[in-house]
Coordinates of all heavy atoms in Angstrom, one line a residue:
M100 N 2.3 -0.3 -10.5 CA 1.8 -1.3 -9.5 C 0.3 -1.4 -9.5 O -0.4 -0.3 -9.6 CB 2.3 -0.9 -8.1 CG 1.9 -1.9 -7.0 SD 2.6 -1.4 -5.4 CE 2.7 -2.9 -4.7
S101 N -0.2 -2.6 -9.5 CA -1.7 -2.8 -9.5 C -2.3 -2.3 -8.2 O -1.7 -2.5 -7.1 CB -2.0 -4.2 -9.8 OG -1.6 -4.6 -11.0
K102 N -3.5 -1.8 -8.3 CA -4.3 -1.5 -7.1 C -5.3 -2.6 -6.8 O -5.8 -3.2 -7.7 CB -4.9 -0.1 -7.3 CG -3.9 1.0 -7.4 CD -4.6 2.3 -7.6 CE -3.5 3.4 -7.7 NZ -4.0 4.7 -8.2
P103 N -5.7 -2.8 -5.6 CA -6.7 -3.8 -5.2 C -8.1 -3.5 -5.8 O -8.4 -2.3 -6.0 CB -6.7 -3.8 -3.7 CG -6.2 -2.5 -3.3 CD -5.2 -2.1 -4.4
I104 N -8.9 -4.5 -6.0 CA -10.2 -4.3 -6.6 C -11.1 -3.3 -5.8 O -11.9 -2.6 -6.4 CB -10.9 -5.6 -6.9 CG1 -11.2 -6.3 -5.6 CG2 -10.2 -6.4 -7.9 CD1 -12.1 -7.6 -5.8
G105 N -10.8 -3.2 -4.5 CA -11.6 -2.3 -3.7 C -11.3 -0.8 -4.1 O -12.2 0.0 -3.8
H106 N -10.2 -0.6 -4.7 CA -9.9 0.8 -5.2 C -10.8 1.2 -6.3 O -11.2 2.4 -6.5 CB -8.4 0.9 -5.6 CG -8.1 2.2 -6.2 ND1 -7.7 3.3 -5.4 CD2 -8.0 2.6 -7.5 CE1 -7.4 4.3 -6.2 NE2 -7.6 3.9 -7.4
F107 N -11.3 0.3 -7.1 CA -12.1 0.5 -8.3 C -13.6 0.2 -8.1 O -14.4 0.6 -9.0 CB -11.6 -0.3 -9.4 CG -10.1 -0.1 -9.7 CD1 -9.2 -1.0 -9.3 CD2 -9.7 1.0 -10.5 CE1 -7.8 -0.8 -9.6 CE2 -8.4 1.2 -10.7 CZ -7.4 0.3 -10.3
T108 N -14.0 -0.5 -7.0 CA -15.3 -0.9 -6.8 C -15.8 -0.5 -5.5 O -15.1 0.1 -4.7 CB -15.4 -2.5 -7.0 OG1 -14.7 -3.1 -5.8 CG2 -14.8 -3.0 -8.3
S109 N -17.1 -1.0 -5.2 CA -17.7 -0.7 -3.9 C -17.3 -1.7 -2.8 O -17.9 -1.6 -1.7 CB -19.2 -0.6 -4.1 OG -19.7 -1.9 -4.5
Y110 N -16.4 -2.6 -3.1 CA -16.1 -3.6 -2.1 C -15.5 -3.0 -0.9 O -14.7 -2.1 -0.9 CB -15.0 -4.6 -2.7 CG -14.4 -5.5 -1.7 CD1 -15.1 -6.5 -1.1 CD2 -13.1 -5.2 -1.3 CE1 -14.5 -7.3 -0.1 CE2 -12.5 -6.0 -0.3 CZ -13.2 -7.0 0.3 OH -12.6 -7.8 1.3
S111 N -16.0 -3.5 0.3 CA -15.3 -3.2 1.5 C -15.2 -4.5 2.3 O -15.9 -5.4 2.2 CB -16.2 -2.2 2.3 OG -17.5 -2.7 2.6
L112 N -14.2 -4.5 3.2 CA -13.8 -5.7 3.9 C -15.0 -6.3 4.7 O -15.8 -5.6 5.3 CB -12.7 -5.3 4.9 CG -12.0 -6.4 5.7 CD1 -11.3 -7.4 4.6 CD2 -11.0 -5.9 6.6
N113 N -15.1 -7.6 4.5 CA -16.1 -8.4 5.2 C -17.5 -8.0 4.8 O -18.4 -8.1 5.7 CB -15.9 -8.4 6.7 CG -14.6 -8.9 7.2 OD1 -14.2 -10.0 6.7 ND2 -14.0 -8.3 8.1
D114 N -17.7 -7.6 3.6 CA -19.1 -7.3 3.2 C -19.9 -8.4 2.6 O -21.1 -8.3 2.3 CB -19.1 -6.0 2.2 CG -18.5 -6.4 0.8 OD1 -18.1 -7.6 0.6 OD2 -18.4 -5.5 0.0
G115 N -19.3 -9.6 2.5 CA -20.0 -10.8 2.0 C -20.4 -10.8 0.6 O -21.2 -11.5 0.1
S116 N -19.8 -9.9 -0.2 CA -20.2 -9.7 -1.6 C -19.5 -10.6 -2.6 O -18.5 -11.3 -2.2 CB -20.0 -8.2 -2.0 OG -18.6 -8.0 -2.0
L117 N -19.9 -10.6 -3.8 CA -19.2 -11.3 -4.8 C -17.8 -10.8 -5.0 O -16.9 -11.6 -5.2 CB -20.0 -11.2 -6.2 CG -19.2 -11.8 -7.4 CD1 -19.0 -13.3 -7.2 CD2 -20.0 -11.6 -8.6
L118 N -17.7 -9.5 -4.9 CA -16.4 -8.9 -5.0 C -15.4 -9.4 -3.9 O -14.3 -9.7 -4.1 CB -16.4 -7.4 -4.9 CG -17.2 -6.7 -6.0 CD1 -17.4 -5.2 -5.7 CD2 -16.4 -6.8 -7.3
E119 N -15.9 -9.6 -2.7 CA -15.1 -10.2 -1.6 C -14.7 -11.6 -1.9 O -13.6 -12.0 -1.8 CB -15.9 -10.1 -0.3 CG -15.0 -10.7 0.9 CD -15.7 -10.5 2.2 OE1 -16.9 -10.9 2.3 OE2 -15.1 -10.0 3.1
S120 N -15.7 -12.4 -2.4 CA -15.4 -13.7 -2.8 C -14.4 -13.8 -3.9 O -13.4 -14.7 -3.9 CB -16.7 -14.4 -3.3 OG -16.5 -15.7 -3.8
L121 N -14.5 -12.9 -4.9 CA -13.5 -12.9 -6.0 C -12.1 -12.6 -5.5 O -11.1 -13.2 -5.9 CB -13.9 -11.9 -7.1 CG -15.1 -12.3 -7.9 CD1 -15.5 -11.1 -8.8 CD2 -14.9 -13.5 -8.7
Q122 N -12.1 -11.6 -4.6 CA -10.7 -11.2 -4.0 C -10.2 -12.4 -3.2 O -9.0 -12.6 -3.3 CB -10.9 -10.0 -3.1 CG -9.6 -9.6 -2.5 CD -9.6 -8.2 -1.8 OE1 -9.7 -7.2 -2.5 NE2 -9.5 -8.2 -0.5
E123 N -11.0 -13.1 -2.4 CA -10.5 -14.2 -1.6 C -10.0 -15.3 -2.6 O -8.9 -16.0 -2.3 CB -11.6 -14.7 -0.7 CG -11.9 -13.8 0.5 CD -13.0 -14.3 1.3 OE1 -13.7 -15.3 1.0 OE2 -13.3 -13.6 2.3
Q124 N -10.7 -15.6 -3.7 CA -10.3 -16.7 -4.5 C -9.1 -16.3 -5.5 O -8.3 -17.2 -5.7 CB -11.5 -17.1 -5.4 CG -11.3 -18.4 -6.2 CD -12.5 -19.0 -6.7 OE1 -13.6 -18.5 -6.4 NE2 -12.4 -20.0 -7.4
Y125 N -9.1 -15.1 -5.9 CA -8.1 -14.7 -7.0 C -7.1 -13.7 -6.6 O -6.3 -13.3 -7.4 CB -8.8 -14.3 -8.3 CG -9.7 -15.3 -8.8 CD1 -11.1 -15.2 -8.7 CD2 -9.2 -16.5 -9.4 CE1 -12.0 -16.2 -9.1 CE2 -10.1 -17.5 -9.9 CZ -11.4 -17.4 -9.7 OH -12.2 -18.4 -10.2
G126 N -7.2 -13.2 -5.4 CA -6.2 -12.2 -4.9 C -6.8 -10.8 -5.1 O -7.6 -10.5 -5.9
S127 N -6.3 -9.8 -4.3 CA -6.8 -8.5 -4.3 C -6.5 -7.7 -5.6 O -7.2 -6.8 -5.9 CB -6.2 -7.7 -3.2 OG -4.9 -7.5 -3.3
T128 N -5.6 -8.2 -6.4 CA -5.3 -7.6 -7.7 C -5.4 -8.7 -8.8 O -4.9 -8.5 -9.9 CB -3.9 -7.0 -7.8 OG1 -2.9 -8.1 -7.6 CG2 -3.7 -5.9 -6.8
F129 N -6.2 -9.7 -8.5 CA -6.5 -10.8 -9.5 C -5.2 -11.5 -9.9 O -5.1 -12.0 -11.0 CB -7.3 -10.4 -10.6 CG -8.7 -10.1 -10.3 CD1 -9.4 -9.1 -11.0 CD2 -9.4 -10.7 -9.3 CE1 -10.7 -8.8 -10.7 CE2 -10.7 -10.4 -8.9 CZ -11.4 -9.4 -9.6
E130 N -4.2 -11.5 -9.0 CA -2.9 -12.1 -9.4 C -2.9 -13.6 -9.5 O -2.0 -14.2 -10.1 CB -1.8 -11.7 -8.3 CG -2.0 -12.2 -7.0 CD -2.9 -11.3 -6.0 OE1 -3.6 -10.4 -6.5 OE2 -2.9 -11.6 -4.8
L131 N -4.0 -14.2 -9.1 CA -4.1 -15.6 -9.2 C -4.9 -16.0 -10.5 O -5.5 -17.1 -10.6 CB -4.7 -16.3 -8.0 CG -3.9 -16.0 -6.7 CD1 -4.7 -16.6 -5.5 CD2 -2.5 -16.6 -6.9
M132 N -5.1 -15.1 -11.4 CA -5.7 -15.3 -12.7 C -4.6 -15.2 -13.8 O -3.7 -14.4 -13.6 CB -6.8 -14.3 -13.0 CG -8.1 -14.5 -12.3 SD -9.2 -13.2 -13.0 CE -10.6 -13.5 -11.8
T133 N -4.8 -15.9 -14.9 CA -3.9 -15.7 -16.0 C -4.4 -14.4 -16.8 O -5.5 -13.9 -16.6 CB -4.0 -16.9 -17.0 OG1 -5.3 -16.9 -17.6 CG2 -3.7 -18.2 -16.3
K134 N -3.5 -13.9 -17.6 CA -3.8 -12.8 -18.4 C -5.0 -13.0 -19.3 O -5.9 -12.2 -19.5 CB -2.5 -12.4 -19.2 CG -2.7 -11.1 -20.0 CD -1.4 -10.7 -20.7 CE -1.5 -9.2 -21.1 NZ -0.2 -8.7 -21.5
R135 N -5.0 -14.3 -19.9 CA -6.1 -14.6 -20.7 C -7.4 -14.6 -20.0 O -8.4 -14.1 -20.5 CB -5.9 -16.0 -21.3 CG -7.0 -16.4 -22.3 CD -6.7 -17.8 -22.9 NE -7.7 -18.2 -23.8 CZ -7.7 -17.9 -25.1 NH1 -6.7 -17.3 -25.6 NH2 -8.7 -18.3 -25.9
E136 N -7.5 -15.1 -18.7 CA -8.7 -15.1 -17.9 C -9.1 -13.6 -17.6 O -10.3 -13.3 -17.7 CB -8.4 -15.8 -16.6 CG -8.3 -17.3 -16.8 CD -7.8 -18.1 -15.6 OE1 -7.1 -17.5 -14.7 OE2 -8.0 -19.3 -15.6
K137 N -8.2 -12.7 -17.3 CA -8.5 -11.4 -17.1 C -9.1 -10.7 -18.4 O -10.1 -10.0 -18.3 CB -7.3 -10.6 -16.6 CG -6.8 -11.0 -15.2 CD -5.5 -10.3 -14.9 CE -4.9 -10.9 -13.7 NZ -3.6 -10.2 -13.3
L138 N -8.5 -11.0 -19.5 CA -9.0 -10.4 -20.8 C -10.4 -11.0 -21.1 O -11.2 -10.2 -21.6 CB -8.0 -10.7 -21.9 CG -6.7 -9.9 -21.8 CD1 -5.7 -10.5 -22.8 CD2 -7.0 -8.4 -22.1
F139 N -10.6 -12.3 -20.8 CA -11.9 -12.8 -21.0 C -13.0 -12.1 -20.2 O -14.1 -11.7 -20.7 CB -12.0 -14.3 -20.7 CG -13.4 -14.9 -20.7 CD1 -13.9 -15.2 -21.9 CD2 -14.2 -14.9 -19.5 CE1 -15.2 -15.7 -22.0 CE2 -15.5 -15.4 -19.6 CZ -16.0 -15.8 -20.8
L140 N -12.7 -11.8 -18.9 CA -13.6 -11.1 -18.0 C -13.9 -9.7 -18.5 O -15.0 -9.2 -18.5 CB -13.1 -11.1 -16.5 CG -13.2 -12.5 -15.9 CD1 -12.6 -12.4 -14.5 CD2 -14.6 -13.1 -15.9
I141 N -12.8 -9.0 -19.0 CA -13.0 -7.7 -19.5 C -14.0 -7.8 -20.7 O -14.9 -7.0 -20.8 CB -11.6 -7.1 -20.0 CG1 -10.8 -6.8 -18.8 CG2 -11.8 -5.9 -20.9 CD1 -9.3 -6.4 -19.1
S142 N -13.7 -8.7 -21.6 CA -14.6 -8.9 -22.7 C -16.1 -9.2 -22.3 O -17.0 -8.6 -22.8 CB -14.1 -10.0 -23.6 OG -14.9 -10.3 -24.7
A143 N -16.2 -10.1 -21.4 CA -17.6 -10.5 -21.0 C -18.4 -9.3 -20.4 O -19.5 -9.1 -20.7 CB -17.5 -11.6 -20.0
I144 N -17.7 -8.6 -19.5 CA -18.3 -7.4 -18.9 C -18.6 -6.3 -19.9 O -19.7 -5.7 -19.9 CB -17.4 -6.9 -17.7 CG1 -17.3 -7.9 -16.6 CG2 -17.9 -5.5 -17.2 CD1 -16.1 -7.6 -15.6
A145 N -17.6 -6.1 -20.8 CA -17.8 -5.0 -21.8 C -19.0 -5.4 -22.8 O -19.8 -4.5 -23.1 CB -16.5 -4.8 -22.6
I146 N -19.1 -6.6 -23.1 CA -20.2 -7.0 -24.0 C -21.5 -6.7 -23.3 O -22.5 -6.2 -23.9 CB -20.1 -8.5 -24.4 CG1 -19.0 -8.6 -25.5 CG2 -21.4 -9.0 -25.0 CD1 -18.5 -10.1 -25.7
Q147 N -21.6 -7.1 -22.1 CA -22.9 -6.9 -21.3 C -23.2 -5.4 -21.2 O -24.3 -5.0 -21.4 CB -22.8 -7.6 -20.0 CG -24.2 -7.7 -19.2 CD -24.5 -6.4 -18.5 OE1 -23.6 -5.7 -18.0 NE2 -25.7 -6.1 -18.4
L148 N -22.2 -4.6 -20.9 CA -22.4 -3.2 -20.7 C -22.8 -2.5 -22.0 O -23.6 -1.7 -22.1 CB -21.1 -2.5 -20.1 CG -20.8 -2.9 -18.7 CD1 -19.4 -2.3 -18.3 CD2 -21.9 -2.3 -17.7
C149 N -22.1 -3.0 -23.1 CA -22.5 -2.5 -24.4 C -23.9 -2.8 -24.8 O -24.6 -1.9 -25.3 CB -21.5 -3.0 -25.5 SG -21.8 -2.4 -27.2
D150 N -24.3 -4.0 -24.6 CA -25.7 -4.4 -24.9 C -26.7 -3.6 -24.1 O -27.8 -3.4 -24.6 CB -25.9 -5.9 -24.6 CG -25.2 -6.8 -25.6 OD1 -24.8 -6.3 -26.7 OD2 -25.1 -8.0 -25.3
G151 N -26.4 -3.2 -22.9 CA -27.3 -2.4 -22.1 C -27.2 -0.9 -22.3 O -28.1 -0.2 -21.8
A152 N -26.2 -0.5 -23.1 CA -26.1 1.0 -23.3 C -27.1 1.4 -24.4 O -27.3 0.7 -25.4 CB -24.7 1.3 -23.7
P153 N -27.6 2.6 -24.2 CA -28.6 3.1 -25.2 C -27.8 3.5 -26.5 O -26.6 3.7 -26.5 CB -29.2 4.4 -24.5 CG -28.1 4.8 -23.6 CD -27.4 3.6 -23.1
G154 N -28.6 3.6 -27.6 CA -28.0 4.0 -28.8 C -27.5 3.0 -29.7 O -27.8 1.8 -29.6
R155 N -26.6 3.4 -30.6 CA -26.0 2.5 -31.6 C -24.6 2.9 -31.9 O -24.2 3.9 -31.5 CB -26.9 2.6 -32.9 CG -26.9 4.1 -33.4 CD -27.9 4.3 -34.5 NE -28.2 5.7 -34.8 CZ -27.4 6.6 -35.2 NH1 -26.1 6.4 -35.4 NH2 -27.7 7.9 -35.4
C156 N -23.9 2.0 -32.6 CA -22.5 2.3 -33.0 C -22.6 2.7 -34.5 O -23.3 2.1 -35.3 CB -21.6 1.1 -32.9 SG -21.1 0.7 -31.2
R157 N -21.8 3.7 -34.8 CA -21.6 4.1 -36.2 C -20.8 3.0 -36.9 O -20.0 2.3 -36.3 CB -20.9 5.4 -36.3 CG -21.7 6.6 -35.8 CD -20.8 7.8 -35.7 NE -20.1 7.7 -34.4 CZ -19.2 8.6 -34.1 NH1 -18.8 9.6 -34.9 NH2 -18.6 8.5 -32.9
E158 N -21.1 2.8 -38.2 CA -20.4 1.7 -39.0 C -18.9 2.0 -38.9 O -18.1 1.0 -38.8 CB -20.9 1.7 -40.4 CG -22.3 1.2 -40.6 CD -22.4 -0.3 -40.2 OE1 -21.5 -1.1 -40.5 OE2 -23.4 -0.6 -39.6
E159 N -18.5 3.2 -38.9 CA -17.0 3.5 -38.9 C -16.3 3.0 -37.6 O -15.1 2.6 -37.7 CB -16.8 5.0 -39.0 CG -17.2 5.8 -37.8 CD -17.2 7.3 -38.0 OE1 -18.1 7.8 -38.8 OE2 -16.3 8.0 -37.5
I160 N -17.1 2.8 -36.5 CA -16.5 2.3 -35.3 C -16.1 0.8 -35.4 O -15.1 0.4 -34.9 CB -17.4 2.6 -34.1 CG1 -17.7 4.1 -33.9 CG2 -16.8 1.9 -32.8 CD1 -16.4 4.9 -33.7
Y161 N -16.9 0.1 -36.2 CA -16.5 -1.3 -36.5 C -15.2 -1.4 -37.3 O -14.3 -2.2 -37.0 CB -17.6 -2.0 -37.2 CG -18.9 -2.1 -36.4 CD1 -19.9 -1.3 -36.6 CD2 -19.0 -3.1 -35.4 CE1 -21.1 -1.4 -35.9 CE2 -20.2 -3.2 -34.7 CZ -21.2 -2.3 -34.9 OH -22.4 -2.4 -34.2
V162 N -15.0 -0.4 -38.2 CA -13.8 -0.3 -39.0 C -12.6 0.0 -38.1 O -11.6 -0.5 -38.2 CB -14.0 0.6 -40.2 CG1 -12.7 0.9 -40.9 CG2 -15.1 0.2 -41.1
V163 N -12.9 1.0 -37.2 CA -11.8 1.4 -36.3 C -11.4 0.2 -35.4 O -10.2 0.0 -35.2 CB -12.3 2.6 -35.4 CG1 -11.3 2.9 -34.3 CG2 -12.5 3.9 -36.3
G164 N -12.4 -0.6 -34.9 CA -12.0 -1.7 -34.1 C -11.1 -2.7 -34.9 O -10.2 -3.2 -34.4
H165 N -11.5 -2.9 -36.1 CA -10.6 -3.8 -37.0 C -9.2 -3.2 -37.2 O -8.2 -3.9 -37.1 CB -11.3 -4.1 -38.3 CG -10.5 -4.9 -39.2 ND1 -10.3 -6.2 -39.1 CD2 -9.7 -4.5 -40.3 CE1 -9.4 -6.7 -40.0 NE2 -9.1 -5.6 -40.8
Q166 N -9.2 -1.9 -37.4 CA -7.9 -1.3 -37.6 C -7.0 -1.4 -36.4 O -5.8 -1.6 -36.4 CB -8.1 0.2 -38.0 CG -8.6 0.4 -39.4 CD -9.0 1.9 -39.6 OE1 -9.4 2.6 -38.7 NE2 -8.9 2.3 -40.9
I167 N -7.6 -1.2 -35.2 CA -6.9 -1.3 -34.0 C -6.3 -2.7 -33.8 O -5.1 -2.8 -33.5 CB -7.8 -0.9 -32.8 CG1 -8.0 0.6 -32.8 CG2 -7.2 -1.4 -31.4 CD1 -9.2 1.1 -31.8
N168 N -7.1 -3.7 -34.0 CA -6.7 -5.0 -33.8 C -5.7 -5.5 -34.8 O -4.9 -6.4 -34.5 CB -7.9 -6.0 -33.7 CG -8.6 -5.9 -32.4 OD1 -8.0 -5.7 -31.4 ND2 -9.9 -6.0 -32.4
S169 N -5.8 -5.0 -36.0 CA -4.8 -5.4 -37.1 C -3.6 -4.6 -37.2 O -2.6 -5.0 -37.8 CB -5.6 -5.5 -38.4 OG -6.0 -4.2 -38.8
S170 N -3.6 -3.4 -36.6 CA -2.4 -2.5 -36.9 C -1.6 -2.2 -35.6 O -0.4 -1.8 -35.8 CB -2.9 -1.2 -37.5 OG -3.6 -1.4 -38.7
L171 N -2.2 -2.2 -34.5 CA -1.5 -1.8 -33.2 C -0.9 -3.0 -32.5 O -1.4 -4.1 -32.5 CB -2.4 -1.1 -32.3 CG -3.0 0.2 -32.8 CD1 -3.9 0.8 -31.7 CD2 -1.9 1.2 -33.1
N172 N 0.3 -2.7 -31.9 CA 0.9 -3.8 -31.1 C 0.1 -4.0 -29.9 O -0.7 -3.3 -29.5 CB 2.4 -3.5 -30.9 CG 2.6 -2.3 -30.0 OD1 1.9 -2.0 -29.1 ND2 3.6 -1.5 -30.3
Q173 N 0.5 -5.1 -29.2 CA -0.3 -5.5 -27.9 C -0.2 -4.4 -26.9 O -1.2 -4.2 -26.2 CB 0.3 -6.8 -27.4 CG -0.4 -7.3 -26.2 CD 0.1 -8.7 -25.7 OE1 0.7 -9.4 -26.5 NE2 -0.1 -8.9 -24.4
A174 N 0.9 -3.8 -26.7 CA 1.1 -2.8 -25.6 C 0.1 -1.6 -25.9 O -0.5 -1.1 -25.0 CB 2.5 -2.3 -25.5
D175 N 0.0 -1.2 -27.1 CA -0.8 -0.1 -27.5 C -2.3 -0.5 -27.4 O -3.2 0.3 -26.9 CB -0.6 0.4 -28.9 CG 0.7 1.3 -29.0 OD1 1.2 1.7 -27.9 OD2 1.3 1.4 -30.0
R176 N -2.7 -1.7 -27.7 CA -4.1 -2.2 -27.6 C -4.4 -2.2 -26.1 O -5.5 -1.8 -25.7 CB -4.3 -3.5 -28.2 CG -4.3 -3.4 -29.8 CD -4.5 -4.7 -30.5 NE -3.3 -5.5 -30.1 CZ -3.1 -6.7 -30.4 NH1 -4.0 -7.4 -31.0 NH2 -2.0 -7.3 -30.1
E177 N -3.5 -2.7 -25.3 CA -3.8 -2.7 -23.8 C -3.9 -1.3 -23.3 O -4.7 -1.1 -22.4 CB -2.7 -3.5 -23.1 CG -2.7 -5.0 -23.4 CD -1.5 -5.8 -22.8 OE1 -0.6 -5.1 -22.3 OE2 -1.5 -7.0 -22.9
G178 N -3.1 -0.4 -23.8 CA -3.2 1.0 -23.4 C -4.5 1.6 -23.7 O -5.1 2.4 -23.0
L179 N -5.0 1.2 -25.0 CA -6.3 1.7 -25.4 C -7.4 1.2 -24.5 O -8.4 1.9 -24.2 CB -6.6 1.4 -26.8 CG -6.0 2.4 -27.8 CD1 -6.2 1.9 -29.3 CD2 -6.6 3.8 -27.7
V180 N -7.3 -0.1 -24.1 CA -8.3 -0.6 -23.1 C -8.3 0.2 -21.9 O -9.4 0.6 -21.4 CB -8.0 -2.1 -22.8 CG1 -8.9 -2.6 -21.7 CG2 -8.3 -3.0 -24.1
E181 N -7.2 0.5 -21.4 CA -7.1 1.3 -20.1 C -7.7 2.7 -20.4 O -8.5 3.3 -19.6 CB -5.7 1.4 -19.6 CG -5.6 2.2 -18.3 CD -4.2 2.2 -17.7 OE1 -3.2 1.8 -18.4 OE2 -4.1 2.7 -16.6
A182 N -7.3 3.4 -21.5 CA -7.8 4.7 -21.9 C -9.3 4.7 -22.0 O -10.0 5.6 -21.5 CB -7.1 5.2 -23.1
L183 N -9.8 3.8 -22.8 CA -11.3 3.7 -23.0 C -12.0 3.4 -21.8 O -13.1 4.0 -21.5 CB -11.6 2.7 -24.1 CG -11.1 3.1 -25.5 CD1 -11.2 1.9 -26.5 CD2 -12.0 4.2 -26.1
T184 N -11.5 2.6 -20.9 CA -12.2 2.3 -19.6 C -12.2 3.6 -18.8 O -13.3 3.9 -18.2 CB -11.4 1.2 -18.9 OG1 -11.4 0.0 -19.7 CG2 -12.0 0.9 -17.5
N185 N -11.2 4.3 -18.7 CA -11.1 5.5 -18.0 C -12.2 6.5 -18.6 O -12.9 7.2 -17.9 CB -9.7 6.1 -18.0 CG -9.6 7.4 -17.2 OD1 -9.9 8.5 -17.7 ND2 -9.1 7.2 -16.0
Q186 N -12.2 6.6 -19.9 CA -13.2 7.5 -20.6 C -14.6 7.1 -20.3 O -15.5 8.0 -20.2 CB -12.9 7.7 -22.0 CG -11.6 8.4 -22.3 CD -11.7 9.8 -21.8 OE1 -12.6 10.6 -22.0 NE2 -10.7 10.2 -21.1
V187 N -14.9 5.8 -20.3 CA -16.3 5.3 -20.1 C -16.7 5.7 -18.7 O -17.8 6.2 -18.5 CB -16.4 3.8 -20.2 CG1 -17.6 3.2 -19.6 CG2 -16.3 3.4 -21.7
Q188 N -15.8 5.6 -17.7 CA -16.1 6.0 -16.3 C -16.1 7.5 -16.0 O -17.0 8.0 -15.3 CB -15.2 5.2 -15.4 CG -15.6 5.3 -14.0 CD -14.9 4.3 -13.1 OE1 -13.9 3.8 -13.4 NE2 -15.5 4.1 -11.9
W189 N -15.1 8.2 -16.6 CA -14.9 9.6 -16.2 C -15.1 10.6 -17.3 O -15.2 11.8 -17.0 CB -13.5 9.7 -15.5 CG -13.3 8.8 -14.4 CD1 -12.5 7.7 -14.4 CD2 -14.0 8.8 -13.1 NE1 -12.6 7.1 -13.2 CE2 -13.5 7.7 -12.4 CE3 -14.9 9.7 -12.5 CZ2 -13.9 7.5 -11.1 CZ3 -15.2 9.4 -11.2 CH2 -14.8 8.3 -10.5
G190 N -15.0 10.2 -18.5 CA -15.0 11.2 -19.6 C -16.4 11.6 -20.1 O -17.4 11.0 -19.8
R191 N -16.4 12.5 -21.0 CA -17.6 12.9 -21.7 C -17.7 12.1 -22.9 O -16.8 11.7 -23.6 CB -17.4 14.4 -22.1 CG -18.7 14.9 -22.7 CD -18.5 16.3 -23.3 NE -19.7 16.8 -24.0 CZ -20.1 16.4 -25.2 NH1 -19.3 15.6 -25.9 NH2 -21.2 16.9 -25.8
S192 N -19.0 11.7 -23.2 CA -19.3 11.0 -24.4 C -20.4 11.6 -25.2 O -21.3 12.3 -24.6 CB -19.8 9.6 -24.0 OG -18.7 8.8 -23.4
L193 N -20.4 11.4 -26.5 CA -21.5 12.0 -27.3 C -22.8 11.2 -26.9 O -22.8 10.1 -26.6 CB -21.3 11.7 -28.8 CG -20.2 12.5 -29.5 CD1 -20.1 11.9 -31.0 CD2 -20.6 13.9 -29.5
S194 N -23.9 12.0 -27.0 CA -25.2 11.3 -26.8 C -25.6 10.8 -28.2 O -25.1 11.2 -29.2 CB -26.2 12.2 -26.2 OG -26.6 13.2 -27.2
D195 N -26.6 9.9 -28.2 CA -27.1 9.3 -29.4 C -27.6 10.4 -30.3 O -27.6 10.3 -31.6 CB -28.1 8.2 -29.1 CG -28.3 7.3 -30.3 OD1 -27.3 6.9 -30.9 OD2 -29.5 7.0 -30.6
T196 N -28.2 11.5 -29.7 CA -28.8 12.5 -30.5 C -27.7 13.4 -31.2 O -28.0 14.2 -32.1 CB -29.7 13.4 -29.7 OG1 -29.0 14.0 -28.6 CG2 -30.9 12.6 -29.1
E197 N -26.5 13.4 -30.7 CA -25.4 14.1 -31.3 C -24.7 13.5 -32.5 O -23.9 14.1 -33.2 CB -24.3 14.4 -30.2 CG -24.8 15.3 -29.1 CD -23.7 15.5 -28.1 OE1 -23.5 14.5 -27.3 OE2 -23.2 16.6 -28.0
L198 N -25.1 12.2 -32.8 CA -24.5 11.5 -33.9 C -25.1 11.9 -35.2 O -26.3 12.2 -35.2 CB -24.7 10.0 -33.7 CG -23.9 9.3 -32.6 CD1 -24.3 7.9 -32.5 CD2 -22.4 9.4 -32.8
P199 N -24.4 11.9 -36.3 CA -25.0 12.2 -37.6 C -26.0 11.1 -37.9 O -25.8 10.0 -37.5 CB -23.8 12.3 -38.5 CG -22.7 11.6 -37.9 CD -23.0 11.7 -36.4
P200 N -27.0 11.3 -38.8 CA -27.9 10.3 -39.1 C -27.2 9.2 -39.9 O -26.2 9.4 -40.6 CB -28.9 11.0 -40.0 CG -28.6 12.4 -40.0 CD -27.3 12.6 -39.3
M201 N -27.7 7.9 -39.7 CA -27.1 6.8 -40.4 C -27.5 7.0 -41.9 O -28.6 7.3 -42.2 CB -27.6 5.5 -39.8 CG -27.3 5.3 -38.4 SD -25.8 4.5 -37.9 CE -25.9 2.9 -38.6
G202 N -26.5 6.7 -42.8 CA -26.8 6.9 -44.2 C -26.9 5.7 -45.0 O -27.0 4.6 -44.9

């Protein structure tokens, strides 16, 4: 079962925020959006967060992205989105200084 956006964000009732407006327009679990619209928003937010993150991506990560999209079924790709989102928020990540030099 989906949890409301307030579970994941700083939204609180009657705070007048964009989050409140989104909840009023699309429902507390975005049930009034299509799956495509939700995926678009995930993509848009992720691109902006990636652009603002320090460091660089190793070339192999681009290959991994292609492998994921060409080899895994939809359910596994959606599961990876959830797993990676959880790891971005709560997990440990390598720092840029821990990466091997680009060759």
Side-chain angles (χ1 to χ4, degrees):
M100 179 178 214
S101 295
K102 295 180 180 170
I104 61 173
H106 176 80
F107 302 100
T108 66
S109 63
Y110 166 70
S111 59
L112 190 59
N113 298 319
D114 69 2
S116 67
L117 174 61
L118 295 170
E119 180 174 52
S120 175
L121 292 172
Q122 178 169 294
E123 288 174 359
Q124 188 164 356
Y125 300 108
S127 66
T128 61
F129 292 147
E130 65 272 15
L131 300 177
M132 284 185 189
T133 67
K134 186 172 193 170
R135 183 178 182 90
E136 291 169 336
K137 292 173 190 178
L138 289 168
F139 173 83
L140 291 178
I141 290 168
S142 175
I144 294 165
I146 288 168
Q147 190 278 329
L148 290 171
C149 182
D150 287 348
R155 58 189 163 67
C156 282
R157 294 170 277 174
E158 288 297 320
E159 69 192 72
I160 299 303
Y161 296 100
V162 173
V163 169
H165 176 73
Q166 290 171 330
I167 288 168
N168 284 323
S169 63
S170 300
L171 295 180
N172 65 40
Q173 181 175 336
D175 284 341
R176 287 179 295 171
E177 290 172 357
L179 275 177
V180 168
E181 184 176 7
L183 289 167
T184 300
N185 185 276
Q186 288 300 312
V187 164
Q188 191 165 16
W189 305 107
R191 183 186 177 282
S192 297
L193 288 177
S194 70
D195 200 44
T196 60
E197 294 175 289
L198 291 175
M201 302 267 301

